[in-house]
Amino acid sequence: MTNQFLYSDTNKRYHTWNYHLQQHFGEKIFKVAIDGGFDCPNRDGTVARGGCTFCTVSGSGDFAQNRIDPLPVQLRKGIDMMHKKWPNVKSYIAYFQNFTNTHAPVDILRHRYEQVVNEEGVVGIMIATRPDCLPPETIEYLAELNKRYYIWVELGLQTIHEETSKVINRAHSYETYLRAVEQLRTHNIPVCTHLINGLPGENHDMMMESVHRVILDSDIQGIKIHLLHLMKNTKMVRDYYQGRLRLLEKDEYVELVCDQLEVIPPEIVIHRITGDAPRDTLIGPMWSLKKWEVLNAIDQELERRNTYQGIHNIRNKGEEHVVVRSGFQP
């Protein structure tokens, strides 16, 4: 079967993060996850306490470096670790991954970010945050950074459904997310939206609707699709043992991701279509530990269907829903 997908130079039928980076930089790049020492407004009482119910004590950054170390030291340790797999890579993206990495005054953000962006080999920065932690002065600073460096802002939306948001204690609205994307895109800052498949009470149609609405309602350049990992010592464990959460089966997840890819416009970069979790703290789904089997199963299902990302591009369904893209070149 012929792979008709344009944004690929391999057998992939979706717009991978690796392909995007190769096209942008002309070489292999890897991200280095570091802990910026930030907290979360959903934990410290700014908007709520307790955090999202799926979130671990590490702030969903189980593979980030130790925050005890200075940021340049964290970066170097992360690079050294990644070099064990890719010894010849010379360029890196500093990834502020866990907790909320804009939850601080701008002078603190500037101090922490610029400790790493000026390190040897660093070609860009990726900042994971919440849409309710982007006041005007922070947006202005990110716009300044965007003029000097390669940058992405990753927004933790997880779901468009307000009823699910209440269950997981997200503590911000979908409207807040939409405003944040609009403000970032005013300055041409690339946005990656984080969605989780398998949240409590959500079925296939609801998870598809999250993708549909995010694509139709907001001008984003990337999506990170994540499988819900049920982790020990999280509040969501109670939902699971009280029967309010059903973990997805592998075949179910693979079919869902392929359905989602088919409606996502082909130019949108797919930063992730599954995830990693530490074996010793994972309750389930245990099949997710075999990450490459999951990725291969998605490739195989797309090939079996003879389909690819964007074959049913929902932005082509009606002009009244089309969001005009504003200058981002994959």
Side-chain angles (χ1 to χ4, degrees):
M1 297 180 181
T2 303
N3 183 359
Q4 304 175 60
F5 188 60
L6 297 177
Y7 294 90
S8 176
D9 53 9
T10 63
N11 66 327
K12 296 295 183 183
R13 293 168 177 256
Y14 57 94
H15 193 158
T16 69
W17 173 239
N18 283 336
Y19 175 84
H20 164 72
L21 292 176
Q22 184 70 41
Q23 295 299 306
H24 187 90
F25 291 103
E27 60 178 320
K28 173 71 177 176
I29 308 287
F30 60 66
K31 289 191 302 185
V32 180
I34 55 179
D35 187 325
F38 297 98
D39 203 339
C40 177
N42 197 9
R43 290 174 178 256
D44 66 11
T46 304
V47 298
R49 291 196 180 275
C52 295
T53 60
F54 57 80
C55 198
T56 64
V57 293
S58 67
S60 294
D62 297 288
F63 296 101
Q65 295 296 309
N66 193 327
R67 67 167 52 195
I68 295 176
D69 290 330
L71 290 172
V73 173
Q74 288 188 45
L75 181 72
R76 182 49 52 190
K77 285 183 176 180
I79 289 172
D80 290 344
M81 182 177 67
M82 299 291 277
H83 273 162
K84 294 176 182 178
K85 185 174 182 179
W86 295 291
N88 297 321
V89 174
K90 299 178 181 179
S91 300
Y92 324 103
I93 293 173
Y95 180 25
F96 285 81
Q97 180 185 25
N98 49 334
F99 295 105
T100 304
N101 292 284
T102 58
H103 184 42
V106 169
D107 58 341
I108 293 177
L109 302 182
R110 186 184 301 273
H111 173 70
R112 295 183 188 178
Y113 295 169
E114 303 207 16
Q115 284 185 62
V116 294
V117 292
N118 293 307
E119 288 290 304
E120 182 179 359
V122 174
V123 295
I125 182 173
M126 190 163 189
I127 301 161
T129 191
R130 288 168 55 94
D132 57 353
C133 286
L134 290 166
E137 62 272 20
T138 298
I139 297 282
E140 290 177 10
Y141 171 56
L142 294 176
E144 175 194 328
L145 271 181
N146 190 43
K147 293 177 181 178
R148 295 187 283 135
Y149 302 104
Y150 174 86
I151 182 176
W152 281 83
V153 172
E154 179 181 317
L155 294 180
L157 176 62
Q158 324 311 355
T159 177
I160 61 99
H161 301 285
E162 299 297 347
E163 60 268 36
T164 309
S165 173
K166 293 177 183 177
V167 170
I168 65 175
N169 194 40
R170 186 181 65 189
H172 71 73
S173 68
Y174 183 53
E175 289 301 319
T176 300
Y177 159 80
L178 293 177
R179 288 195 297 272
V181 175
E182 183 178 10
Q183 291 162 359
L184 289 165
R185 294 303 296 144
T186 296
H187 299 282
N188 206 34
I189 299 169
V191 176
C192 174
T193 296
H194 192 290
L195 296 173
I196 296 179
N197 285 331
L199 291 170
E202 294 207 351
N203 58 28
H204 181 278
D205 289 347
M206 293 176 72
M207 290 179 271
M208 287 298 298
E209 186 181 0
S210 282
V211 170
H212 277 247
R213 289 278 301 278
V214 162
I215 295 300
L216 294 177
D217 295 348
S218 57
D219 175 25
I220 60 171
Q221 292 62 54
I223 287 183
K224 179 177 283 189
I225 299 173
H226 204 297
L227 167 68
L228 175 69
H229 289 125
L230 181 62
M231 309 297 291
K232 295 178 181 178
N233 301 318
T234 61
K235 293 187 176 182
M236 191 169 283
V237 172
R238 180 182 300 175
D239 293 328
Y240 178 65
Y241 287 114
Q242 293 182 355
R244 294 189 296 271
L245 170 65
R246 182 184 67 84
L247 300 179
L248 295 177
E249 300 292 338
K250 178 182 172 182
D251 290 348
E252 182 181 15
Y253 183 76
V254 168
E255 180 179 351
L256 170 63
V257 169
C258 291
D259 290 346
Q260 291 172 326
L261 288 173
E262 287 179 346
V263 302
I264 297 173
E267 68 273 16
I268 290 182
V269 183
I270 308 299
H271 288 238
R272 173 177 285 178
I273 53 174
T274 185
D276 301 287
R279 179 182 294 272
D280 60 344
T281 56
L282 178 67
I283 295 175
M286 299 309 291
W287 54 261
S288 67
L289 291 171
K290 298 180 179 179
K291 180 178 177 180
W292 284 105
E293 289 187 8
V294 180
L295 294 174
N296 289 338
I298 292 170
D299 290 340
Q300 291 163 7
E301 175 62 13
L302 290 173
E303 184 175 358
R304 187 193 67 78
R305 299 182 185 190
N306 194 21
T307 190
Y308 46 87
Q309 180 184 335
I311 192 171
H312 304 308
N313 183 351
I314 55 176
R315 282 192 179 149
N316 293 337
K317 297 297 183 181
E319 291 184 359
E320 69 275 13
H321 293 302
V322 174
V323 177
V324 178
R325 308 199 66 74
S326 47
F328 178 76
Q329 296 297 322

